[in-house]
């Protein structure tokens, strides 16, 4: 499994040199200048080879990298570039040989250790990968220490070691406090481990630095959703649909499939890892103690409605029944800021609510209402509401105006 889901791995750390200006060799520098020119020419070929790889032209990439090898066979950068090429064509033996050759040629070239370690982590060879990445960090003069610590974090995450991943990300940010990928990965880990306040602070730092992207906005939305910060949710949703309408994140949100987002998947991995640790054989008690479950606990599994008691909250009820707050709001047609009343009945499944409540086809706007308020009240995505009514976010609405709450293309006009 490659280091992907939400976290991208820093694999290639090869400096791409500018083109070399040709110089005339004089008698005074005849013994030194040709070798220097060949090294710089080789680096130029490496840069060309990498550029061809990035646009998918592997044959031209290999041609230029072979030329670089002919020009400077003792240059570790060339072997690093060849290893990267072999990764793209999935030649494992050639990858390993190239990286080993690079480290043999220049034992203090930290890039070789970092790249090889990242590659081995992708291959599931975690222990050797960690050794190589730590070796890169120890190399004198290495200025990509933050990269290698982040790679260590990603490698720990591949093993579901969330504590170690958090530790290595912290070290990455210690060496580069404004590193966007490490900040984003930290925020994602905070969300996965339910440290929401830390996630908010990290995301706010990124937003102040204008480090916005579709994944950042979706993560902001999901964090705000758990905290019941409805204005933040709405802002993140509007930015996501406005700036990245074709992104996978926008599609997941519009289709209400947030359980498939990379952040939800990461949280499920975290929960599974903690549950597995809690019941590991080494920690199980030798004597089983059987505790009879109460009738209330047993009935929670099949209960379909809940009567609100004094001082109960949506969050507490959702946790009690193992459902999400957004589902409770949707199933009961609540406003996000609506207070619960003692004695009020809440539906605990969408099917029961669907049987009892029919969403009106149209809604007549009241004085002072906005489209955003209506979308929240009826739990309809604002983007859908705008689309169904041929409106934009800037379109004015007036009291008495009718707007569709369902797709007009599928309305039953006989009812």
């Amino acid at each position: 499994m490659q280091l992907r889901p939400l976290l991208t791995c820093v694999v290639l750390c090869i400096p791409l040199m500018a083109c070399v200006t040709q110089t005339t060799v004089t008698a005074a520098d005849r013994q030194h200048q040709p070798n220097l020119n060949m090294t710089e020419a080789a680096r130029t070929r490496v840069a060309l080879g990498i550029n061809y790889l990035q646009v998918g032209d592997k044959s031209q990439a290999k041609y230029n990298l072979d030329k670089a090898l002919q020009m400077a066979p003792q240059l570790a950068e060339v072997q690093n570039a060849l290893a990267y090429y072999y990764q793209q064509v999935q030649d494992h033996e050639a990858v390993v040989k190239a990286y080993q050759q690079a480290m043999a040629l220049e034992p203090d070239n930290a890039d070789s250790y970092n790249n090889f370690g990242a590659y081995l982590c992708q291959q599931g060879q975690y222990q050797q990968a960690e050794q190589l990445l730590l070796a890169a960090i120890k190399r004198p003069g290495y200025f990509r220490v933050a990269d290698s610590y982040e790679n260590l974090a990603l490698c720990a995450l591949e093993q579901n070691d969330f504590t170690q991943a958090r530790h290595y990300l912290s070290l990455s940010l210690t060496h580069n406090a404004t590193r966007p990928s490490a900040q984003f990965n930290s925020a994602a880990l905070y969300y996965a481990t339910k440290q929401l306040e830390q996630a908010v602070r990290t995301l706010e730092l990124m937003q102040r630095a204008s480090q916005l992207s579709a994944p950042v906005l979706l993560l902001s939305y999901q964090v705000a959703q758990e905290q019941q910060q409805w204005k933040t949710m709405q802002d993140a949703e509007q930015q996501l649909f406005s700036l990245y309408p074709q992104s996978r994140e926008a599609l997941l949100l519009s289709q209400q499939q947030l359980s498939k987002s990379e952040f939800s998947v990461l949280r499920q991995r975290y929960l599974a890892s903690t549950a597995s640790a809690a019941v590991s054989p080494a920690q199980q008690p030798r004597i089983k103690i059987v505790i009879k479950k109460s009738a209330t606990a047993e009935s929670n599994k099949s209960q379909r409605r809940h009567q609100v008691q004094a001082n109960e909250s949506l969050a507490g009820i959702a946790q009690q029944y193992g459902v999400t707050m957004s589902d409770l709001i949707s199933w009961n047609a609540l406003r996000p800021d609506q207070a619960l009343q003692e004695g009020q009945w809440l539906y605990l499944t969408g099917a029961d609510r669907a049987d009892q409540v029919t969403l009106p086809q149209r809604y007549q706007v009241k004085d002072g209402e906005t489209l955003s308020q209506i979308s929240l009240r009826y739990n309809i995505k604002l983007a859908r509401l705008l689309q169904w009514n041929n409106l934009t976010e800037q379109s004015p609405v007036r009291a008495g105006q009718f707007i569709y709450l369902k797709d007009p293309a599928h309305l039953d006009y006989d009812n």
Side-chain angles (χ1 to χ4, degrees):
M1 177 178 177
Q2 291 198 352
L3 300 184
R4 155 68 189 114
L6 72 152
L7 312 170
T8 55
C9 187
V10 184
V11 174
L12 185 63
C13 299
I14 300 173
L16 303 185
M17 309 301 291
C19 294
V20 180
T21 303
Q22 295 294 329
T23 58
T24 303
V25 180
T26 64
D29 59 10
R30 188 176 301 276
Q31 294 182 0
H32 303 286
Q33 193 67 24
N35 287 337
L36 178 60
N37 282 348
M38 292 299 286
T39 298
E40 294 304 315
R43 285 174 171 157
T44 300
R45 289 287 185 177
V46 166
L48 286 171
I50 297 301
N51 287 337
Y52 277 119
L53 269 181
Q54 290 172 344
V55 299
D57 192 340
K58 294 184 176 64
S59 59
Q60 282 296 319
K62 186 61 163 57
Y63 173 80
N64 280 280
L65 294 177
D66 284 342
K67 285 291 185 183
L69 185 62
Q70 293 173 13
M71 295 172 179
Q74 302 304 310
L75 194 62
E77 293 170 34
V78 177
Q79 295 294 338
N80 268 324
L82 281 168
Y84 182 60
Y85 164 80
Y86 290 128
Q87 286 178 237
Q88 308 311 304
V89 298
Q90 300 182 12
D91 187 340
H92 175 71
E93 291 185 5
V95 172
V96 173
K97 183 178 179 181
Y99 278 134
Q100 289 176 341
Q101 181 71 6
M103 291 187 295
L105 289 171
E106 297 181 34
D108 282 334
N109 188 316
D111 288 343
S112 303
Y113 293 85
N114 175 80
N115 298 346
F116 195 15
Y119 173 73
L120 290 181
C121 187
Q122 292 173 340
Q123 304 306 307
Q125 300 179 39
Y126 302 122
Q127 185 174 0
Q128 189 176 357
E130 184 176 26
Q131 292 172 354
L132 286 165
L133 290 166
L134 290 172
I137 291 168
K138 294 177 181 178
R139 286 299 177 274
Y142 186 44
F143 62 92
R144 295 189 180 94
V145 171
D147 296 36
S148 292
Y149 273 127
E150 189 172 0
N151 276 344
L152 283 162
L154 302 176
C155 203
L157 196 62
E158 283 291 292
Q159 304 167 75
N160 287 329
D161 190 342
F162 287 80
T163 301
Q164 191 74 322
R166 175 66 258 161
H167 170 67
Y168 281 135
L169 279 175
S170 177
L171 289 174
S172 178
L173 288 170
T174 297
H175 285 81
N176 185 351
T178 60
R179 183 174 174 80
S181 58
Q183 287 180 326
F184 172 68
N185 294 336
S186 294
L189 279 182
Y190 282 136
Y191 173 80
T193 55
K194 299 188 177 182
Q195 301 177 70
L196 299 180
E197 292 299 328
Q198 293 95 320
V200 169
R201 286 196 292 269
T202 305
L203 289 167
E204 286 176 347
L205 286 173
M206 298 188 70
Q207 290 169 359
R208 283 200 292 269
S210 299
Q211 294 167 359
L212 288 183
S213 65
V216 168
L217 290 170
L218 184 61
L219 179 56
S220 299
Y221 179 94
Q222 291 194 238
V223 171
Q225 184 180 46
E226 289 212 13
Q227 293 188 311
Q228 303 181 55
Q229 298 293 333
W230 311 114
K231 180 63 168 60
T232 304
M233 284 174 59
Q234 187 179 36
D235 290 344
E237 179 180 2
Q238 290 177 349
Q239 284 185 292
L240 180 58
F241 288 130
S242 174
L243 298 174
Y244 308 100
Q246 304 301 319
S247 65
R248 179 178 182 272
E249 289 76 13
L251 181 64
L252 288 175
L253 186 54
S254 66
Q255 295 181 346
Q256 298 183 337
Q257 294 184 333
L258 292 184
S259 62
K260 296 181 181 179
S261 78
E262 51 196 352
F263 314 112
S264 298
V265 171
L266 188 64
R267 173 172 286 186
Q268 290 304 314
R269 285 176 52 195
Y270 170 72
L271 294 174
S273 69
T274 54
S276 175
V279 298
S280 63
Q283 295 178 331
Q284 287 182 347
R286 294 180 180 273
I287 302 174
K288 290 187 177 180
I289 301 175
V290 179
I291 301 175
K292 185 177 181 180
K293 295 183 179 178
S294 67
T296 302
E298 287 290 337
S299 65
N300 279 353
K301 296 180 180 179
S302 58
Q303 193 166 340
R304 303 172 73 173
R305 290 199 306 164
H306 173 83
Q307 190 170 26
V308 178
Q309 306 301 310
N311 301 319
E312 280 193 313
S313 67
L314 273 176
I317 296 169
Q319 183 176 12
Q320 180 180 348
Y321 292 98
V323 298
T324 64
M325 282 187 54
S326 59
D327 281 341
L328 278 182
I329 292 170
S330 173
W331 296 336
N332 294 277
L334 300 174
R335 296 190 309 275
D337 57 349
Q338 183 173 335
L340 297 180
Q341 302 296 321
E342 184 176 358
Q344 176 182 356
W345 286 96
L346 296 178
Y347 294 100
L348 301 176
T349 71
D352 292 311
R353 178 64 192 172
D355 292 340
Q356 300 293 328
V357 177
T358 301
L359 187 70
Q361 295 181 351
R362 297 194 305 165
Y363 175 79
Q364 190 171 22
V365 179
K366 296 180 176 58
D367 187 38
E369 284 188 315
T370 66
L371 288 171
S372 296
Q373 291 170 335
I374 296 169
S375 72
L376 287 174
R377 178 180 305 164
Y378 289 98
N379 197 36
I380 301 171
K381 298 298 180 184
L382 180 59
R384 293 181 180 178
L385 203 63
L386 296 173
Q387 178 184 0
W388 293 340
N389 293 275
N390 293 320
L391 300 172
T392 68
E393 293 181 26
Q394 289 74 38
S395 298
V397 291
R398 64 183 184 280
Q401 177 180 349
F402 282 93
I403 63 171
Y404 291 109
L405 299 181
K406 297 181 179 179
D407 187 348
H410 301 96
L411 292 184
D412 182 2
Y413 291 99
D414 294 332
N415 293 328

